[in-house]
Amino acid sequence: MNPASTIEEAMATRRSCRAFLPTPVPRAQVERLLALASSSASNSNSQPWQVHVLTGAAKRALTADLLCAYDEGRRAVGEFAYQPAADSWPEPFRSRRRRFGEGLYSETLGLAADDTAGRSGHHRRNYDFFGAPVGLVLTVSRAPLQGALIDAGLFLQGLMLSARGAGLHTCAQASFIDYHPVLRRHLTIPDDHLVVCGIALGYADDDHRLGGYRTSREPVESFVTFYDSAAVTHQAEPV
């Protein structure tokens, strides 16, 4: 896909890409994207993020170790996780998550709900960064508490939009949280850091059957409340 020429176009064309071409991304370009993302806002300019970039043999070694851990069921469930377990999401988030899964696995990949092997096979692709030539792992210091996750999210969005400006695509992958012990064996992650996500970075394979998959968005009126002076009534507090 062509580079996004405006912020609006970058926002509109950004998606979670799950099929990449093997086309290399030069290190200088990755460094430029990370420099742009580092201009993101953070609480008191704390900049609590760190990024670990993997290519070539280093990426292959991590992928092999992650797949081994996945196949052996060595998930670090509940450890240092910032999101609920799969069966603990409350509504309306549970339904949205279910619709996402149906759209991806059933409608796009044609995998039935009881096709455990097929669905597991697709999920394994997470740990090869969906074939992207560049894999990144984003971590954040726990010292600023939960506010650091907001800062990490701003950095992540900045990176994804900057990638679109360069004609690249990304996929933020929370699946890496479950295998943070494996990541720590391969990467120099400070003890006080939380794994936020993995990030696949590269050129999209638009001919792949996942190339056309898009998720829906809730309409503005479902999550926004507008206030104006005519609609607000102020009452004096009782003395």
Side-chain angles (χ1 to χ4, degrees), residues 99 101-111 213:
R99 286 198 300 271
E102 290 172 352
L104 177 63
Y105 286 98
S106 300
E107 298 168 16
T108 304
L109 293 174
L111 299 172
Y213 177 64

Side-chain angles (χ1 to χ4, degrees), residues 147-161:
L149 285 172
I150 298 174
D151 299 335
L154 291 170
F155 179 92
L156 179 61
Q157 180 79 314
L159 177 60
M160 293 189 291
L161 296 181

Side-chain angles (χ1 to χ4, degrees), residues 44-97:
S44 301
N45 198 33
S46 58
Q47 304 173 70
W49 49 69
Q50 285 196 0
V51 183
H52 307 266
V53 183
L54 297 110
T55 59
K59 176 177 169 287
R60 291 193 293 272
L62 175 62
T63 289
D65 208 354
L66 286 168
L67 290 176
C68 182
Y70 175 80
D71 292 340
E72 294 177 357
R74 289 189 278 115
R75 290 180 61 199
V77 181
E79 296 183 37
F80 306 107
Y82 59 82
Q83 64 178 7
D87 58 353
S88 299
W89 290 63
E91 293 293 353
F93 315 113
R94 178 191 292 265
S95 293
R96 292 174 186 170
R97 192 171 186 271

Side-chain angles (χ1 to χ4, degrees), residues 21-224:
L21 297 171
T23 308
V25 180
R27 175 169 173 165
Q29 188 170 33
V30 176
E31 290 179 349
R32 176 178 175 274
L33 297 178
L34 292 170
L36 287 170
S38 72
S39 66
S40 301
S42 63
N43 190 347
S44 301
N45 198 33
S46 58
Q47 304 173 70
W49 49 69
Q50 285 196 0
V51 183
H52 307 266
V53 183
L54 297 110
T55 59
K59 176 177 169 287
R60 291 193 293 272
L62 175 62
T63 289
D65 208 354
L66 286 168
L67 290 176
C68 182
Y70 175 80
D71 292 340
E72 294 177 357
R74 289 189 278 115
R75 290 180 61 199
V77 181
E79 296 183 37
F80 306 107
Y82 59 82
Q83 64 178 7
D87 58 353
S88 299
W89 290 63
E91 293 293 353
F93 315 113
R94 178 191 292 265
S95 293
R96 292 174 186 170
R97 192 171 186 271
R98 184 183 303 112
R99 286 198 300 271
F100 159 72
E102 290 172 352
L104 177 63
Y105 286 98
S106 300
E107 298 168 16
T108 304
L109 293 174
L111 299 172
D114 59 354
D115 187 354
T116 304
R119 292 186 172 220
S120 177
H122 171 74
H123 187 78
R124 290 177 93 255
R125 296 180 62 244
N126 272 279
Y127 305 112
D128 186 33
F129 297 91
F130 296 112
V134 181
L136 305 96
V137 174
L138 175 62
T139 72
V140 70
S141 172
R142 288 190 292 240
L145 302 179
Q146 287 90 340
L149 285 172
I150 298 174
D151 299 335
L154 291 170
F155 179 92
L156 179 61
Q157 180 79 314
L159 177 60
M160 293 189 291
L161 296 181
S162 297
R164 285 300 307 119
L168 297 162
H169 273 285
T170 55
C171 185
Q173 301 166 260
S175 56
F176 283 78
I177 300 171
D178 295 336
Y179 299 96
H180 65 87
V182 177
L183 299 178
R184 291 181 185 278
R185 286 201 297 272
H186 287 257
L187 310 174
T188 308
I189 300 176
D191 291 340
D192 74 313
H193 268 234
L194 183 78
V195 174
V196 178
C197 64
I199 309 162
L201 172 69
Y203 294 94
D205 182 359
D206 290 327
D207 292 331
H208 193 281
R209 56 180 170 175
L210 285 168
Y213 177 64
R214 302 292 186 275
T215 53
S216 62
R217 291 295 183 270
E218 298 297 316
V220 170
E221 59 268 22
S222 72
F223 61 85
V224 174

